[in-house]
Amino acid sequence: MAERRSAREVVTALADDSTFDELPVPAGPSKPDGPLGWPGYDASRARAAERTGEQESVVCGTARVGGTRAVLIAFEFGFLGGSLGERTGDRLEAAYTYARERRLPVVPLVATGGSRMQEGMLALTQLQRVARQSALTREAGLAQVAVVRDPTTGGGWATLGAGADVVLALPGAQVGFAGSRVRPADADPAAYTAEAQVAAGAADAVVRPEELRETLGRWLRLLTCPSSTPAAPPGALGDTAVLPATGWDAVRRARSPRRPRAAAYLDAYFTHRVAISGDRCGGTDPDGVLCGFGEHQGRTIAYAAQTGTATRPAGYRTAARLIRLADRLGIPVLTLVDTPGAANDAEAERQGAGAAIADLFAAVAGARTPVTSLVIGEGGSGGALALAAPGNTWATPDSYFSVIAPELAAAILKRPPREVEATADRLRIRPQDLVELGVVRGTVGP
């Protein structure tokens, strides 16, 4: 079990010194023993207040984290298990409204067991209220970065936690929709952890407490720097600027194990970067697509980069998630195209490969923020084209882009293996061919 700090201890650990300013508490009617007249409810709240020093299960205020001002919503688990009731909803709504009025990002620091049973359905409906506030904040183009603590379960996880743009989790925290007292007796407890949620694509990273302040501050800085200027394509990292002589030479060079891959390009391009992970649908593709935000020449640029392997459905969905988030925040996007094609095994089909690729095509096509693409290796068919920006795609000298791999094209056309190299030439897949055809804008040098 992760260490449980109080709400104010968490705020103190994350906020820059002397910058936390608590928001006024909204006034609201109070009925004896709550809206249901639950016997002993007032006494339970009084004991919780005496034990924690708080009057409700959340503490809301503004603070600077790593120099960036944000609205912090810290749950106090010691107050009736951090549960959500009507007065909790009042505070949450006021905090989100304040954030929108002042154009501030929102940081929920979640530790809750869910809705407050002593308030019945009126407590449960606070989730709709919270979801509405989150949606309005999303529409306003403001970032929401959640930190899920121990425990984060029930409606708190299904709204403030999992509904955030970026989800950071403390190691060992219990995280899941079903709390420990309501899940099946034979359920594997390891499935209800921060680590399991990251593995399932529902959270982005597990962050150690001593690193949380710096990590959160970096996220907030990157997500609050919009720009309308397109990202410049990176320079080529290959050994030579000489363009390939033949189509097959282009294929051979793109497939070379010595060719620089996505990680090298990202390291060279960004001063620092942070990664998002997961498609929020139960999947990740860490070996196929790298996604996140980084700083390039003082500006925030979002990136989605294929790594040279066959991209899986979760990779396409994660890239689409990245592009839509960048679009909402007004952050330009850089994509690196490098895949022999989409994964085409049976499991990829069961995971919805076609729908995932279609969703990425739609995300790129619908983006209002500028998208820049660079083909750094293999451009294999629609699985590569889905990540390419129409009208703003560039290519390195050691890359190719093709409607299909030359070997497969020859097979489909019923040509013998000896004609594969000639087929590569006929497909006109070299970088200079692509420029002449108008498929890419140009080639980049070192």
Side-chain angles (χ1 to χ4, degrees):
M1 180 183 295
E3 177 187 1
R4 287 181 181 171
R5 290 181 172 181
S6 71
R8 294 186 187 272
E9 287 173 336
V10 171
V11 168
T12 299
L14 295 180
D16 297 350
D17 292 345
S18 303
T19 63
F20 181 69
D21 185 14
E22 191 166 354
L23 295 177
V25 176
S30 179
K31 300 178 181 179
D33 284 325
L36 302 186
W38 189 283
Y41 181 36
D42 281 352
S44 295
R45 285 188 297 186
R47 289 192 297 270
E50 182 178 2
R51 183 169 57 250
T52 64
E54 306 295 345
Q55 297 301 311
E56 247 308 332
S57 58
V58 290
V59 176
C60 303
T62 63
R64 293 191 179 275
V65 180
T68 302
R69 190 165 176 246
V71 169
L72 305 186
I73 298 171
F75 277 72
E76 175 54 68
F77 189 76
F79 192 100
L80 301 180
S83 56
L84 283 79
E86 279 191 293
R87 300 287 77 79
T88 322
D90 291 342
R91 294 191 180 199
L92 294 174
E93 184 175 88
Y96 272 97
T97 301
Y98 187 94
R100 290 194 300 276
E101 290 173 348
R102 289 158 179 82
R103 305 293 303 168
L104 299 176
V106 179
V107 181
L109 306 166
V110 191
T112 174
S115 300
R116 194 169 299 171
M117 290 178 294
Q118 297 94 327
E119 295 189 20
M121 277 301 298
L122 292 176
L124 189 65
T125 58
Q126 300 309 304
L127 303 182
Q128 295 172 319
R129 194 176 178 189
V130 171
R132 175 62 176 163
Q133 292 303 312
S134 179
L136 291 172
T137 302
R138 189 176 297 112
E139 290 174 5
L142 301 172
Q144 299 172 70
V145 182
V147 176
V148 292
R149 300 150 53 208
D150 184 59
T152 298
T153 61
W157 166 237
T159 51
L160 291 154
D165 299 317
V166 176
V167 182
L168 308 177
L170 294 182
Q174 179 190 172
V175 183
F177 186 66
S180 59
R181 296 185 183 183
V182 298
R183 66 182 67 136
D186 59 350
D188 179 8
Y192 302 83
T193 62
E195 291 76 7
Q197 296 297 345
V198 172
D204 293 289
V206 172
V207 183
R208 293 185 297 179
E210 62 270 24
E211 298 174 350
L212 184 57
R213 183 175 186 173
E214 179 181 356
T215 300
L216 180 59
R218 181 170 292 181
W219 269 111
L220 291 174
R221 287 194 300 275
L222 288 171
L223 296 183
T224 54
C225 292
S227 171
S228 59
T229 304
L237 298 181
D239 295 333
T240 177
V242 177
L243 294 169
T246 67
W248 188 249
D249 183 33
V251 173
R252 180 182 55 80
R253 287 170 58 174
R255 292 176 180 175
S256 170
R258 296 185 299 275
R259 174 181 57 77
R261 306 286 162 149
Y265 274 92
L266 296 176
D267 287 344
Y269 192 78
F270 291 112
T271 306
H272 60 84
R273 55 190 171 96
V274 290
I276 70 166
S277 176
D279 61 3
R280 299 300 188 258
C281 300
T284 62
D285 187 17
D287 298 326
V289 181
L290 305 176
C291 294
F293 295 81
E295 182 181 305
H296 174 72
Q297 298 181 351
R299 291 200 304 142
T300 299
I301 306 292
Y303 64 86
Q306 292 172 315
T307 63
T309 64
T311 307
R312 303 204 63 81
Y316 290 114
R317 284 191 287 261
T318 303
R321 174 191 158 213
L322 179 282
I323 290 168
R324 289 193 172 105
L325 173 57
D327 191 41
R328 281 196 287 103
L329 300 179
I331 294 171
V333 178
L334 170 69
T335 70
L336 301 181
V337 177
D338 186 11
T339 180
N344 57 7
D345 54 88
E347 185 58 28
E349 292 297 334
R350 282 191 286 267
Q351 294 171 357
I357 295 170
D359 189 47
L360 180 55
F361 268 120
V364 173
R368 295 158 298 177
T369 198
V371 181
T372 303
S373 300
L374 178 65
V375 186
I376 64 171
E378 292 195 80
S381 193
L385 187 65
L387 204 59
N392 198 25
T393 293
W394 303 75
T396 65
D398 47 5
S399 69
Y400 78 88
F401 218 146
S402 180
V403 64
I404 195 170
E407 299 94 331
L408 298 178
I412 290 172
L413 297 173
K414 299 181 180 180
R415 293 179 176 176
R418 66 176 181 274
E419 293 193 27
V420 167
E421 294 187 19
T423 301
D425 283 332
R426 293 189 183 99
L427 287 169
R428 301 195 64 192
I429 60 179
R430 300 175 303 167
Q432 60 266 44
D433 295 326
L434 300 170
V435 173
E436 185 178 342
L437 292 170
V439 175
V440 303
R441 288 185 61 179
T443 59
V444 298

